[in-house]
Amino acid sequence: MTYTPLTELIHALEAGTKLHISVAFFSPVYNRLIRLPSSQIIHSSAYCTETKRISEQLSECYRIREKKFKRAKEEKKPFVSLCPYGITEYLHPVLFRNSVICLIMISGNTPAAGVAPDFTQNALSKAKVMENHILLLMESAPVSPDEPDAFSAQATRILRDGMADKISVKELAASMGYHEKYFGAKFKEKTGKSPTAYRNEQRLSKAEALLRNTHLSVIEIATRTGFDNVSYFNRLFRQKNGVTPTEYRKRNRT
C-alpha cells in the first residue's frame, strides 16, 4: 500500500527520539489523510505492544483511549495523560473549520521517556508541525464526505493487520471514534460482512497458510490466529472449507 506523506513526516519526527507518534482521525472520509499504517494509528512501541499482550490490559487501553477521544472532542485543546501502565502521553486535537478532525498522540516509548523535563514542550513542537501539515492537506485536497471507501479501508486495514485480534468490536469502534452499533452497521454496509465475520475470515486465511506451510499443531495455529477456543476454531474452519484443519493440511501440504 502507498501511504500518505504524513507517514514520512511521522518517521522524521520520531527519528533520534524516544517518542512514538500516532494519529487518530475522527472523520475517516478524509481518505488521503488516514492512509497510514496501523502502527501510526494506535500505540505500537515495544513497551506498549508487550503490555497489550494481556487481553485485560489491552481492553483497558482501548477504554482509556475512548475517554481521551471524548475529552479531545469536548475540550478542543491539548492535554497530557498518564496511562495505568506508566506511559505519559501528550494529546493534541486538530481543528478544521471549528471541528476536531483528528487527535495527534505523542508518547514516550517507555515510562521513563515521558518524565523527561522537556517532554511536553518537545511533544508540543512536534505536534504543531504535524498539525500544520494536516491542515495544509485538508485545504489542498478536500475529500467529499461521500467518499465510499475511506471508512472500510481504515477498519479492514486494522483488522487485517492483526492489530485488533484481541479486542472487542466495541473497542475497535472506539479506536476509530465510533459508537459500537453505528460502527457495526456501517462496516456491514460497506463490506457486506459484520466486523466479527470479517475478522474471523482473516484469521481463518492466516490459519490456512500456517497449516500449509508449517508443522505447528492445530492448537498452536488456533492460538496464533486469535482463537482462544480450539473447538470454535475447528467448527468455523470446517464451515468454511468443508474439512477439518487436519484434513486440510493433508490435502494441501506444500
Side-chain angles (χ1 to χ4, degrees):
M1 174 179 291
T2 301
Y3 296 117
T4 177
L6 183 58
T7 194
E8 298 172 9
L9 177 61
I10 291 173
H11 285 312
L13 292 173
E14 288 179 333
T17 73
K18 295 181 179 180
L19 301 176
H20 178 266
I21 302 173
S22 55
V23 186
F25 282 87
F26 300 137
S27 301
V29 294
Y30 297 112
N31 199 29
R32 291 178 185 271
L33 298 181
I34 63 168
R35 213 162 55 243
L36 294 170
S38 296
S39 61
Q40 292 178 347
I41 297 173
I42 65 175
H43 292 171
S44 58
S45 68
Y47 178 87
C48 287
T49 299
E50 186 63 28
T51 298
K52 290 184 284 192
R53 289 186 185 279
I54 300 173
S55 59
E56 292 80 5
Q57 294 179 178
L58 177 60
S59 296
E60 179 67 10
C61 284
Y62 276 88
R63 282 193 291 270
I64 293 170
R65 181 181 170 98
E66 185 174 6
K67 291 179 180 178
K68 291 174 183 176
F69 285 178
K70 182 178 180 182
R71 178 178 174 181
K73 291 177 182 178
E74 291 176 348
E75 297 183 0
K76 299 182 178 180
K77 61 183 181 181
F79 59 96
V80 175
S81 175
L82 177 66
C83 88
Y85 309 108
I87 292 293
T88 302
E89 185 175 30
Y90 174 83
L91 300 111
H92 191 98
V94 175
L95 276 71
F96 181 66
R97 296 172 184 168
N98 203 38
S99 295
V100 178
I101 59 167
C102 69
L103 184 63
I104 299 169
M105 299 169 285
I106 303 179
S107 62
N109 283 335
T110 64
V115 297
D118 60 347
F119 170 78
T120 301
Q121 188 58 42
N122 190 18
L124 170 61
S125 64
K126 293 181 183 298
K128 292 299 292 185
V129 172
M130 289 189 60
E131 179 180 29
N132 291 335
H133 181 83
I134 290 169
L135 292 176
L136 282 173
L137 285 174
M138 295 293 293
E139 293 288 0
S140 63
V143 180
S144 165
D146 295 323
E147 182 78 34
D149 295 325
F151 172 88
S152 56
Q154 184 179 14
T156 56
R157 182 167 65 249
I158 294 173
L159 287 169
R160 186 174 58 249
D161 288 354
M163 305 301 293
D165 278 351
K166 295 293 184 180
I167 67 173
S168 67
V169 172
K170 180 178 181 180
E171 291 159 347
L172 175 58
S175 75
M176 292 179 60
Y178 289 102
H179 185 276
E180 178 185 5
K181 289 184 178 179
Y182 177 81
F183 174 83
K186 190 172 181 66
F187 189 95
K188 190 167 186 176
E189 174 192 338
K190 297 295 184 181
T191 67
K193 301 181 179 71
S194 70
T196 298
Y198 181 87
R199 179 169 56 186
N200 284 339
E201 182 179 89
Q202 297 302 307
R203 288 173 169 174
L204 290 171
S205 293
K206 293 179 186 177
E208 289 164 7
L210 290 172
L211 286 165
R212 291 193 303 270
N213 302 309
T214 75
H215 294 284
L216 293 171
S217 69
V218 171
I219 292 177
E220 288 177 299
I221 289 174
T223 301
R224 287 197 180 194
T225 52
F227 292 98
D228 294 328
N229 186 314
V230 69
S231 296
Y232 179 61
F233 166 70
N234 285 333
R235 183 165 67 253
L236 288 182
F237 192 96
R238 185 160 194 151
Q239 286 176 359
K240 179 184 178 184
N241 294 286
V243 293
T244 66
T246 301
E247 292 168 337
Y248 179 90
R249 167 173 273 166
K250 290 178 180 177
R251 296 181 183 184
N252 295 277
R253 172 69 71 183
T254 59

